[in-house]
Each structure stands twice: as C-alpha cells, then as structure tokens.
Amino acid sequence: MGSLPLAACVLSLGLADVGAAQQAAPASFAFDDLILAHAQRNGLDPRLVKAIVATESEFHPPCVSPAGARGLMQLMPETAAELGVPAEALFDPETNIRAGTDYLGLLFRLAWRRYGLEGTRFRDGPAWAKRRVIAAYHGGPRALAGPWSQASRTYVRKVCALRASPATRLRPR
C-alpha cells in the first residue's frame, strides 16, 4: 500500500489539476461514520484508521496507485481477494473501509502474536508495535520484522503525525 499524493489521483478523478481535485474532494469528515463503525468492529483506533485514509487517498474513493492499490484505504486487489472482496468493489467507500480495517486488524493480530502481546487491546499496545503494524500496512506483513524502506519510515511518520493532529478528529455525533 503506497502513500498516494493528491496529484496521482487527478487522472483517476478526470480533473485538469490538483486545485480542481481539492475542490472536488469530499470533506475529511464525510467517511467518519464508516470509519468509526469498522474501526470499532475490529477493535481499532478510529483516528488511526482516519490517518491511514488521509495518507493513502486523501479521502478520494476513486484513487488508484501506480502499483494498482485502490480506493480510500488503497488496498491491492490481491489483498482484497484474500479478504473475500472483489477488486471492482474497492471503489465503494464502505467496502473499502471494511476491507481495509479487516486487513489492519489482521496485521495487529499477527504483530500481537509475534511479540507476545495477546490479551492487550490494540489501543493499549506499545507505540513501537503500533508503528510496526503501520509499516506493515504500507509495505506488507514482512515489515512487522523489519527492516523498513525509507518510504515506509516516511509513511509511518506521516500516519503517526496525522493520527495525533486535529485533522483526524471524528465529527461529533
């Protein structure tokens, strides 16, 4: 799952420039209900999920990365298929967020098993383990053990910074 800058989405949006893409972008809170529901279903921090969506697609459901990752959480079709989700469904926000949070939850379970953290809620886990899961979301499960590429290190820093920023607050209900 590669980080996808807004400019890379311009072609998939059919817009002439990044400024037009920013105007067409849904508000960052447009997917809060879906993020909250699917994060809770997987025992995940909704702000972490929202930070991943912001980093991966900047809230643009039709994004496709150069590697072929699709939708809000930029899932690869092969990963989605392993989760029982057909590639063509990845542009649907609910399906994409459901599959993305399922995958993130799977990565957390793998990490918690690997590092003997079973019984610890994901939210209560050590920061270093959470960073490994974020790196694995970006670079694949091998990143749980490291080493990370420079791109994964940058991705982890960006997701963590967004997670801590006011930008990932969820809209009050």
Side-chain angles (χ1 to χ4, degrees):
M1 322 287 146
S3 176
L4 188 62
L6 181 58
C9 290
V10 171
L11 291 176
S12 67
L13 290 170
L15 300 171
D17 61 27
V18 174
Q22 287 170 329
Q23 290 174 2
S28 67
F29 59 81
F31 304 106
D32 282 2
D33 291 342
L34 294 174
I35 289 169
L36 184 61
H38 291 293
Q40 288 176 337
R41 186 174 58 78
N42 282 284
L44 302 171
D45 175 2
R47 290 188 66 177
L48 172 61
V49 173
K50 190 168 183 175
I52 288 172
V53 170
T55 301
E56 291 286 355
S57 68
E58 294 183 357
F59 304 101
H60 294 297
C63 283
V64 178
S65 77
R70 299 176 180 184
L72 289 167
M73 293 190 74
Q74 288 292 280
L75 289 164
M76 292 297 290
E78 299 80 16
T79 302
E82 290 175 16
L83 298 167
V85 176
E88 60 273 7
L90 290 175
F91 296 114
D92 172 63
E94 181 162 14
T95 301
N96 190 280
I97 292 171
R98 178 178 44 84
T101 56
D102 287 352
Y103 182 57
L104 190 59
L106 171 67
L107 292 171
F108 266 105
R109 288 189 300 279
L110 289 172
W112 262 223
R113 191 173 319 126
R114 178 182 188 95
Y115 297 111
L117 298 169
E118 293 99 333
T120 304
R121 292 183 331 165
F122 300 149
R123 290 180 180 198
D124 299 331
W128 63 265
K130 293 177 191 177
R131 286 191 300 271
R132 288 197 174 274
V133 170
I134 295 166
Y137 191 87
H138 178 261
R142 291 182 314 275
L144 289 174
W148 303 343
S149 68
Q150 181 59 45
S152 288
R153 287 192 295 273
T154 300
Y155 179 85
V156 169
R157 279 194 301 272
K158 182 174 182 179
V159 169
C160 289
L162 279 170
R163 173 16 198 118
S165 81
T168 56
R169 289 195 184 120
L170 278 71
R171 154 184 77 210
R173 298 183 135 198

PDB file of all heavy atoms in Angstrom, residues 147-168:
ATOM      1  N   PRO A 147      13.768  -4.995   8.170  1.00  0.00           N
ATOM      2  CA  PRO A 147      13.899  -3.545   8.212  1.00  0.00           C
ATOM      3  C   PRO A 147      12.906  -2.873   7.263  1.00  0.00           C
ATOM      4  O   PRO A 147      12.358  -3.519   6.376  1.00  0.00           O
ATOM      5  CB  PRO A 147      15.335  -3.310   7.739  1.00  0.00           C
ATOM      6  CG  PRO A 147      15.608  -4.463   6.826  1.00  0.00           C
ATOM      7  CD  PRO A 147      14.835  -5.627   7.382  1.00  0.00           C
ATOM      8  N   TRP A 148      12.696  -1.583   7.478  1.00  0.00           N
ATOM      9  CA  TRP A 148      11.747  -0.827   6.667  1.00  0.00           C
ATOM     10  C   TRP A 148      12.483  -0.040   5.600  1.00  0.00           C
ATOM     11  O   TRP A 148      13.584   0.452   5.818  1.00  0.00           O
ATOM     12  CB  TRP A 148      10.958   0.163   7.517  1.00  0.00           C
ATOM     13  CG  TRP A 148      10.213  -0.418   8.661  1.00  0.00           C
ATOM     14  CD1 TRP A 148       9.883  -1.731   8.858  1.00  0.00           C
ATOM     15  CD2 TRP A 148       9.700   0.281   9.774  1.00  0.00           C
ATOM     16  NE1 TRP A 148       9.182  -1.882  10.024  1.00  0.00           N
ATOM     17  CE2 TRP A 148       9.058  -0.651  10.613  1.00  0.00           C
ATOM     18  CE3 TRP A 148       9.708   1.608  10.149  1.00  0.00           C
ATOM     19  CZ2 TRP A 148       8.432  -0.298  11.795  1.00  0.00           C
ATOM     20  CZ3 TRP A 148       9.084   1.971  11.334  1.00  0.00           C
ATOM     21  CH2 TRP A 148       8.453   1.023  12.139  1.00  0.00           C
ATOM     22  N   SER A 149      11.802   0.126   4.493  1.00  0.00           N
ATOM     23  CA  SER A 149      12.330   1.001   3.446  1.00  0.00           C
ATOM     24  C   SER A 149      12.203   2.452   3.910  1.00  0.00           C
ATOM     25  O   SER A 149      11.453   2.757   4.848  1.00  0.00           O
ATOM     26  CB  SER A 149      11.537   0.814   2.149  1.00  0.00           C
ATOM     27  OG  SER A 149      10.213   1.301   2.327  1.00  0.00           O
ATOM     28  N   GLN A 150      12.896   3.344   3.236  1.00  0.00           N
ATOM     29  CA  GLN A 150      12.762   4.774   3.543  1.00  0.00           C
ATOM     30  C   GLN A 150      11.326   5.219   3.334  1.00  0.00           C
ATOM     31  O   GLN A 150      10.788   6.000   4.114  1.00  0.00           O
ATOM     32  CB  GLN A 150      13.717   5.614   2.689  1.00  0.00           C
ATOM     33  CG  GLN A 150      13.632   7.104   2.980  1.00  0.00           C
ATOM     34  CD  GLN A 150      13.949   7.442   4.429  1.00  0.00           C
ATOM     35  OE1 GLN A 150      14.912   6.940   4.996  1.00  0.00           O
ATOM     36  NE2 GLN A 150      13.123   8.276   5.045  1.00  0.00           N
ATOM     37  N   ALA A 151      10.675   4.701   2.295  1.00  0.00           N
ATOM     38  CA  ALA A 151       9.281   5.068   2.027  1.00  0.00           C
ATOM     39  C   ALA A 151       8.376   4.633   3.186  1.00  0.00           C
ATOM     40  O   ALA A 151       7.479   5.377   3.590  1.00  0.00           O
ATOM     41  CB  ALA A 151       8.802   4.440   0.718  1.00  0.00           C
ATOM     42  N   SER A 152       8.624   3.462   3.746  1.00  0.00           N
ATOM     43  CA  SER A 152       7.807   3.005   4.883  1.00  0.00           C
ATOM     44  C   SER A 152       8.079   3.838   6.124  1.00  0.00           C
ATOM     45  O   SER A 152       7.157   4.156   6.884  1.00  0.00           O
ATOM     46  CB  SER A 152       8.058   1.523   5.171  1.00  0.00           C
ATOM     47  OG  SER A 152       7.476   0.726   4.165  1.00  0.00           O
ATOM     48  N   ARG A 153       9.332   4.218   6.353  1.00  0.00           N
ATOM     49  CA  ARG A 153       9.643   5.078   7.504  1.00  0.00           C
ATOM     50  C   ARG A 153       8.926   6.417   7.375  1.00  0.00           C
ATOM     51  O   ARG A 153       8.353   6.923   8.344  1.00  0.00           O
ATOM     52  CB  ARG A 153      11.152   5.270   7.644  1.00  0.00           C
ATOM     53  CG  ARG A 153      11.858   4.026   8.164  1.00  0.00           C
ATOM     54  CD  ARG A 153      13.296   4.306   8.582  1.00  0.00           C
ATOM     55  NE  ARG A 153      14.149   4.704   7.479  1.00  0.00           N
ATOM     56  CZ  ARG A 153      14.808   3.862   6.686  1.00  0.00           C
ATOM     57  NH1 ARG A 153      14.707   2.569   6.866  1.00  0.00           N
ATOM     58  NH2 ARG A 153      15.580   4.321   5.724  1.00  0.00           N
ATOM     59  N   THR A 154       8.948   6.978   6.184  1.00  0.00           N
ATOM     60  CA  THR A 154       8.248   8.249   5.942  1.00  0.00           C
ATOM     61  C   THR A 154       6.750   8.075   6.129  1.00  0.00           C
ATOM     62  O   THR A 154       6.087   8.919   6.740  1.00  0.00           O
ATOM     63  CB  THR A 154       8.566   8.762   4.522  1.00  0.00           C
ATOM     64  OG1 THR A 154       9.985   8.952   4.419  1.00  0.00           O
ATOM     65  CG2 THR A 154       7.836  10.055   4.215  1.00  0.00           C
ATOM     66  N   TYR A 155       6.202   6.988   5.624  1.00  0.00           N
ATOM     67  CA  TYR A 155       4.775   6.686   5.747  1.00  0.00           C
ATOM     68  C   TYR A 155       4.371   6.590   7.226  1.00  0.00           C
ATOM     69  O   TYR A 155       3.377   7.187   7.647  1.00  0.00           O
ATOM     70  CB  TYR A 155       4.483   5.372   5.024  1.00  0.00           C
ATOM     71  CG  TYR A 155       3.047   4.925   5.095  1.00  0.00           C
ATOM     72  CD1 TYR A 155       2.106   5.392   4.185  1.00  0.00           C
ATOM     73  CD2 TYR A 155       2.623   4.014   6.057  1.00  0.00           C
ATOM     74  CE1 TYR A 155       0.786   4.968   4.236  1.00  0.00           C
ATOM     75  CE2 TYR A 155       1.313   3.587   6.112  1.00  0.00           C
ATOM     76  CZ  TYR A 155       0.398   4.070   5.202  1.00  0.00           C
ATOM     77  OH  TYR A 155      -0.903   3.649   5.260  1.00  0.00           O
ATOM     78  N   VAL A 156       5.147   5.873   8.014  1.00  0.00           N
ATOM     79  CA  VAL A 156       4.838   5.707   9.445  1.00  0.00           C
ATOM     80  C   VAL A 156       4.845   7.066  10.141  1.00  0.00           C
ATOM     81  O   VAL A 156       3.933   7.375  10.919  1.00  0.00           O
ATOM     82  CB  VAL A 156       5.822   4.722  10.116  1.00  0.00           C
ATOM     83  CG1 VAL A 156       5.673   4.749  11.635  1.00  0.00           C
ATOM     84  CG2 VAL A 156       5.611   3.312   9.573  1.00  0.00           C
ATOM     85  N   ARG A 157       5.850   7.888   9.862  1.00  0.00           N
ATOM     86  CA  ARG A 157       5.905   9.222  10.480  1.00  0.00           C
ATOM     87  C   ARG A 157       4.682  10.048  10.097  1.00  0.00           C
ATOM     88  O   ARG A 157       4.089  10.722  10.944  1.00  0.00           O
ATOM     89  CB  ARG A 157       7.185   9.946  10.062  1.00  0.00           C
ATOM     90  CG  ARG A 157       8.404   9.533  10.849  1.00  0.00           C
ATOM     91  CD  ARG A 157       9.579  10.476  10.657  1.00  0.00           C
ATOM     92  NE  ARG A 157      10.001  10.584   9.277  1.00  0.00           N
ATOM     93  CZ  ARG A 157      10.879   9.776   8.696  1.00  0.00           C
ATOM     94  NH1 ARG A 157      11.438   8.812   9.382  1.00  0.00           N
ATOM     95  NH2 ARG A 157      11.208   9.952   7.426  1.00  0.00           N
ATOM     96  N   LYS A 158       4.285   9.996   8.834  1.00  0.00           N
ATOM     97  CA  LYS A 158       3.139  10.784   8.375  1.00  0.00           C
ATOM     98  C   LYS A 158       1.844  10.306   9.039  1.00  0.00           C
ATOM     99  O   LYS A 158       1.058  11.121   9.527  1.00  0.00           O
ATOM    100  CB  LYS A 158       3.019  10.713   6.858  1.00  0.00           C
ATOM    101  CG  LYS A 158       1.882  11.557   6.313  1.00  0.00           C
ATOM    102  CD  LYS A 158       1.873  11.584   4.801  1.00  0.00           C
ATOM    103  CE  LYS A 158       0.747  12.477   4.299  1.00  0.00           C
ATOM    104  NZ  LYS A 158       0.721  12.549   2.843  1.00  0.00           N
ATOM    105  N   VAL A 159       1.618   8.996   9.065  1.00  0.00           N
ATOM    106  CA  VAL A 159       0.399   8.462   9.680  1.00  0.00           C
ATOM    107  C   VAL A 159       0.367   8.815  11.165  1.00  0.00           C
ATOM    108  O   VAL A 159      -0.671   9.253  11.681  1.00  0.00           O
ATOM    109  CB  VAL A 159       0.281   6.941   9.456  1.00  0.00           C
ATOM    110  CG1 VAL A 159      -0.835   6.340  10.315  1.00  0.00           C
ATOM    111  CG2 VAL A 159       0.015   6.637   7.987  1.00  0.00           C
ATOM    112  N   CYS A 160       1.486   8.647  11.848  1.00  0.00           N
ATOM    113  CA  CYS A 160       1.520   8.957  13.284  1.00  0.00           C
ATOM    114  C   CYS A 160       1.271  10.442  13.540  1.00  0.00           C
ATOM    115  O   CYS A 160       0.557  10.799  14.483  1.00  0.00           O
ATOM    116  CB  CYS A 160       2.844   8.506  13.898  1.00  0.00           C
ATOM    117  SG  CYS A 160       3.002   6.709  14.013  1.00  0.00           S
ATOM    118  N   ALA A 161       1.853  11.302  12.719  1.00  0.00           N
ATOM    119  CA  ALA A 161       1.633  12.743  12.879  1.00  0.00           C
ATOM    120  C   ALA A 161       0.169  13.091  12.621  1.00  0.00           C
ATOM    121  O   ALA A 161      -0.429  13.883  13.373  1.00  0.00           O
ATOM    122  CB  ALA A 161       2.547  13.532  11.942  1.00  0.00           C
ATOM    123  N   LEU A 162      -0.418  12.529  11.585  1.00  0.00           N
ATOM    124  CA  LEU A 162      -1.832  12.800  11.306  1.00  0.00           C
ATOM    125  C   LEU A 162      -2.726  12.248  12.415  1.00  0.00           C
ATOM    126  O   LEU A 162      -3.706  12.884  12.797  1.00  0.00           O
ATOM    127  CB  LEU A 162      -2.240  12.191   9.968  1.00  0.00           C
ATOM    128  CG  LEU A 162      -1.869  12.998   8.742  1.00  0.00           C
ATOM    129  CD1 LEU A 162      -2.107  12.191   7.475  1.00  0.00           C
ATOM    130  CD2 LEU A 162      -2.660  14.295   8.700  1.00  0.00           C
ATOM    131  N   ARG A 163      -2.397  11.080  12.922  1.00  0.00           N
ATOM    132  CA  ARG A 163      -3.185  10.470  13.998  1.00  0.00           C
ATOM    133  C   ARG A 163      -3.235  11.413  15.209  1.00  0.00           C
ATOM    134  O   ARG A 163      -4.257  11.534  15.884  1.00  0.00           O
ATOM    135  CB  ARG A 163      -2.567   9.122  14.349  1.00  0.00           C
ATOM    136  CG  ARG A 163      -2.993   8.259  15.517  1.00  0.00           C
ATOM    137  CD  ARG A 163      -4.171   8.460  16.176  1.00  0.00           C
ATOM    138  NE  ARG A 163      -4.555   8.010  17.448  1.00  0.00           N
ATOM    139  CZ  ARG A 163      -4.844   8.825  18.442  1.00  0.00           C
ATOM    140  NH1 ARG A 163      -4.615  10.108  18.376  1.00  0.00           N
ATOM    141  NH2 ARG A 163      -5.369   8.374  19.540  1.00  0.00           N
ATOM    142  N   ALA A 164      -2.152  12.100  15.469  1.00  0.00           N
ATOM    143  CA  ALA A 164      -2.067  12.987  16.625  1.00  0.00           C
ATOM    144  C   ALA A 164      -2.612  14.385  16.355  1.00  0.00           C
ATOM    145  O   ALA A 164      -2.787  15.167  17.290  1.00  0.00           O
ATOM    146  CB  ALA A 164      -0.603  13.086  17.077  1.00  0.00           C
ATOM    147  N   SER A 165      -2.902  14.704  15.105  1.00  0.00           N
ATOM    148  CA  SER A 165      -3.320  16.063  14.767  1.00  0.00           C
ATOM    149  C   SER A 165      -4.836  16.232  14.864  1.00  0.00           C
ATOM    150  O   SER A 165      -5.584  15.258  14.810  1.00  0.00           O
ATOM    151  CB  SER A 165      -2.849  16.420  13.358  1.00  0.00           C
ATOM    152  OG  SER A 165      -3.743  15.884  12.400  1.00  0.00           O
ATOM    153  N   PRO A 166      -5.285  17.475  14.968  1.00  0.00           N
ATOM    154  CA  PRO A 166      -6.734  17.732  14.973  1.00  0.00           C
ATOM    155  C   PRO A 166      -7.418  17.294  13.679  1.00  0.00           C
ATOM    156  O   PRO A 166      -8.620  17.075  13.657  1.00  0.00           O
ATOM    157  CB  PRO A 166      -6.831  19.251  15.144  1.00  0.00           C
ATOM    158  CG  PRO A 166      -5.518  19.678  15.691  1.00  0.00           C
ATOM    159  CD  PRO A 166      -4.507  18.688  15.204  1.00  0.00           C
ATOM    160  N   ALA A 167      -6.665  17.130  12.605  1.00  0.00           N
ATOM    161  CA  ALA A 167      -7.248  16.765  11.312  1.00  0.00           C
ATOM    162  C   ALA A 167      -7.936  15.410  11.328  1.00  0.00           C
ATOM    163  O   ALA A 167      -8.802  15.151  10.505  1.00  0.00           O
ATOM    164  CB  ALA A 167      -6.170  16.761  10.234  1.00  0.00           C
ATOM    165  N   THR A 168      -7.563  14.546  12.277  1.00  0.00           N
ATOM    166  CA  THR A 168      -8.169  13.210  12.300  1.00  0.00           C
ATOM    167  C   THR A 168      -9.237  13.056  13.370  1.00  0.00           C
ATOM    168  O   THR A 168      -9.716  11.953  13.618  1.00  0.00           O
ATOM    169  CB  THR A 168      -7.110  12.117  12.472  1.00  0.00           C
ATOM    170  OG1 THR A 168      -6.354  12.374  13.649  1.00  0.00           O
ATOM    171  CG2 THR A 168      -6.210  12.033  11.256  1.00  0.00           C
TER     172      THR A 168
END
